Amino acid sequence: MESKKALATTRKVIRCRGFISLFFCILVKKSLLHEITPPCFFGFSSFFMIYQAAAIGRKPGVPLSIEEIEVDPPKAWEVRIKILCTSLCHSDITFWKLTAGPAAIFPRIFGHEAAGVVESVGEYVEEVREGDLVIPVFQENCGECRDCKSTKSNTCTKFGINYRVDMPRDGTSRFRDMNGEIVHNFLRVSSFTEYTVVDITHVVKITREMPHDKACLLGCGVSTGVGAAFKVAGVEEGSTVAIFGLGTVGLAVAEGARLCKASKIIGVDLNPEKFELGKKFGVTDFINPAECGEQTISQVIKEMTDGGADYCFECIGLASAMEDAFSCSREGWGKTVILGVDKIDQALSLNCYEILRGKSVSGSLFGGIKPKTDIPLLAQKYVDKELHLDDFITHQVNFQDINKAFELLLEGKSLRCIIWMDQ
C-alpha cells in the first residue's frame, strides 16, 4: 500500500517526456519498491524539471492561489529542496501587501521559514547531498568572504551588494507557471511550494533528530530573537532586560535572555494576554504602557531596575518605540538592540548627552546569527532540551489552507502557524 501511495506521488512530481524521462521513472519506481538504493537515483534527478503545487501571490493583499508550476533542476552551486513544512512570518505579510516600489514584485512565491529534504544538487555542491535535512535561510553565509570569517557580524559579501530578486548568481528564477510566465523568488527561499531551488550559500544542514516543525522556526524570527540576546547584546547572568513588543521575535529575545540567565526580563506590550504567554519564555515582569498613569515608561522601568535596564530590545518596528527603549537603558553601559524596522526614511532621534554618558545602540539583522554555524547549534540545544520552541507554534494547517495562516496572523491570533505540505 505504501509503495502504491509513493508511486502516485511520483506521478504527480514528474511528467514523463521522451525515452530518458521514461527511463528515469522506471528508476523511481524501482527505488520506491526498494529494488534499488534510494533516494538519489544515481544523481539523475538533478537533470529533470519538476511539476508541483505552489501558493502564488499574484496581486498585493490578495489571497494566494494554489497552482501547478514548473520547478527547474538546480544549476551549479544550487540545491533543490522538497519542503516538508513551512511557517508564516510578518515579513511575508509586509511584502505581500506592498503596492509600489522595487520590492513590490508579482507574481511571487512567498515564504522563508521552512524545513526540507535535499532532493538533488547542482554541480560543485559538496556541503549537502540527497536526503539531508536542511533549513533554507534568507541570510547568506558563504563561509569564505572576509565578513563570514570575521566574528564581528553575520554579514556576507559573497555577491557584493546584491539586490537581485531571484537567484543571487544569475538573477533568474527557477519557477514558471503553466502558461510559461516567470514566477519570482522571495528572499532567496520561496518556501510556499512543494519544491524550491536555493543557492548553497542559503542552505543549512541540521541534525535529523530535530522535529521538522520546530526546525522551520529557526529560519527567521526565533533565531533573530535568541541570537540578539546572546550574540548581539551578550546578556550576562544576573543582568536586567527590557523587551518592547512580545511577538515571536520579542518572545524569542526573552527565551535567549532566559538561556543567558538574566535575573529580570521585563516585557512591554499593549496586550495584557502576552504576559501569561511570556512567562513560558522567561518573562518575569510585564508593563502595559497604557496603564502607567502619570509616569513614563522610562520612569517605570528605571524604578524596577535601579536606574535602567542593562539591555533593551525593540521588536516592534516603530521609531518612537526605539527611542523609548533607548531612554529605558541604564546610563553608563545600557545597550539598546533594534530588531524592528520602521519606514525606510524614518529618522531616529536620540539624546547626544546620553550617548556621551555611555549608552549605546546597535542594529541587528537575523540576530547576528551566522546560519551555517549557529543554526545547527540552536537545533542541538532544542534536541538537548535547553532551547524552548514548542509554544511558538500556536496553529497548524495543511498546504491547501495556507490562506488561513494569513488570516490568523493578520488577526493577531497566532505566533507561528505551521503549514504542512503533505497533510
Side-chain angles (χ1 to χ4, degrees):
M1 181 61 71
E2 289 184 5
S3 296
K4 290 181 179 179
K5 184 177 179 182
L7 287 172
T9 301
T10 303
R11 293 188 188 104
K12 181 182 177 186
V13 173
I14 303 170
R15 290 181 174 175
C16 298
R17 292 182 179 177
F19 175 77
I20 296 178
S21 294
L22 179 60
F23 174 67
F24 174 71
C25 284
I26 292 173
L27 288 178
V28 172
K29 179 177 179 180
K30 287 184 175 291
S31 174
L32 292 170
L33 293 174
H34 309 293
E35 294 177 23
I36 62 173
T37 303
C40 66
F41 315 116
F42 309 110
F44 288 166
S45 64
S46 62
F47 295 102
F48 288 84
M49 181 184 298
I50 283 178
Y51 294 77
Q52 270 296 310
I56 301 178
R58 291 204 169 271
K59 294 182 180 180
V62 175
L64 308 185
S65 60
I66 305 294
E67 304 178 27
E68 188 175 28
I69 64 166
E70 298 176 348
V71 183
D72 286 340
K75 293 185 178 181
W77 295 290
E78 294 177 358
V79 180
R80 189 159 62 186
I81 301 169
K82 175 179 172 56
I83 300 296
L84 301 173
C85 60
T86 181
S87 55
L88 181 65
C89 172
H90 275 286
S91 296
D92 297 305
I93 296 285
T94 298
F95 283 87
W96 170 67
K97 286 182 174 180
L98 289 178
T99 58
I105 298 168
F106 296 88
R108 198 173 207 176
I109 298 174
F110 291 98
H112 63 286
E113 291 187 346
V117 174
V118 174
E119 179 268 343
S120 57
V121 300
E123 191 177 6
Y124 308 126
V125 173
E126 299 177 352
E127 188 176 324
V128 297
R129 62 180 183 178
E130 291 91 343
D132 283 344
L133 180 62
V134 295
I135 298 175
V137 292
F138 73 93
Q139 178 75 11
E140 63 196 33
N141 184 189
C142 72
E144 301 170 350
C145 68
R146 178 185 176 187
D147 298 88
C148 281
K149 291 179 179 179
S150 171
T151 59
K152 295 179 179 179
S153 83
N154 63 342
T155 299
C156 176
T157 50
K158 172 74 173 181
F159 305 114
I161 301 175
N162 185 341
Y163 297 109
R164 285 175 172 166
V165 174
D166 296 304
M167 300 302 288
R169 296 178 194 265
D170 64 10
T172 62
S173 175
R174 302 293 172 264
F175 307 120
R176 284 175 303 280
D177 66 17
M178 298 314 293
N179 294 318
E181 181 183 6
I182 293 295
V183 180
H184 294 289
N185 192 279
F186 179 64
L187 295 183
R188 310 284 167 77
V189 175
S190 286
S191 61
F192 294 167
T193 174
E194 293 180 291
Y195 284 79
T196 190
V197 179
V198 181
D199 192 273
I200 187 58
T201 58
H202 294 266
V203 178
V204 177
K205 180 180 176 180
I206 61 169
T207 173
R208 284 191 164 276
E209 297 178 74
M210 186 70 177
H212 302 155
D213 54 343
K214 311 307 184 302
C216 74
L217 297 177
L218 300 178
C220 184
V222 172
S223 292
T224 296
V226 174
F230 80 86
K231 293 209 71 174
V232 181
V235 174
E236 307 102 343
E237 182 175 355
S239 57
T240 56
V241 171
I243 305 166
F244 289 72
L246 294 180
T248 297
V249 173
L251 292 170
V253 170
E255 174 64 10
R258 181 192 68 79
L259 288 172
C260 294
K261 300 181 180 180
S263 62
K264 187 182 289 290
I265 303 173
I266 304 167
V268 181
D269 202 291
L270 290 168
N271 184 353
E273 295 179 3
K274 293 292 183 73
F275 186 32
E276 287 304 314
L277 179 60
K279 288 179 180 178
K280 298 178 180 180
F281 300 97
V283 174
T284 58
D285 301 85
F286 181 80
I287 299 174
N288 184 339
E291 299 176 354
C292 290
E294 298 293 322
Q295 290 184 299
T296 64
I297 186 69
S298 174
Q299 291 171 329
V300 173
I301 288 182
K302 285 180 178 178
E303 286 182 5
M304 295 174 66
T305 58
D306 188 26
D310 298 313
Y311 301 98
C312 292
F313 298 84
E314 196 282 335
C315 309
I316 302 171
L318 291 173
S320 58
M322 298 172 194
E323 292 164 7
D324 283 341
F326 179 77
S327 68
C328 293
S329 64
R330 186 177 185 83
E331 186 175 291
W333 65 71
K335 184 172 186 177
T336 300
V337 179
I338 296 175
L339 300 172
V341 182
D342 205 334
K343 298 176 182 177
I344 195 168
D345 58 348
Q346 180 63 53
L348 186 61
S349 178
L350 302 177
N351 187 307
C352 295
Y353 181 73
E354 291 186 87
I355 294 177
L356 182 67
R357 296 283 295 175
K359 288 188 178 184
S360 64
V361 179
S362 175
S364 173
L365 179 64
F366 202 32
I369 292 289
K370 286 184 180 289
K372 291 182 186 289
T373 53
D374 293 331
I375 288 180
L377 293 177
L378 292 178
Q380 192 59 51
K381 281 184 177 295
Y382 176 81
V383 171
D384 294 340
K385 303 186 185 304
E386 297 177 30
L387 179 65
H388 179 61
L389 296 177
D390 296 31
D391 286 309
F392 283 107
I393 300 174
T394 54
H395 298 81
Q396 302 190 46
V397 299
N398 61 45
F399 186 44
Q400 296 297 320
D401 295 325
I402 189 170
N403 287 305
K404 180 65 176 177
F406 278 71
E407 293 171 10
L408 290 167
L409 193 58
L410 288 168
E411 293 169 1
K413 294 180 179 179
S414 72
L415 289 175
R416 282 296 184 266
C417 179
I418 300 298
I419 302 158
W420 291 97
M421 307 307 289
D422 292 332
Q423 290 186 7

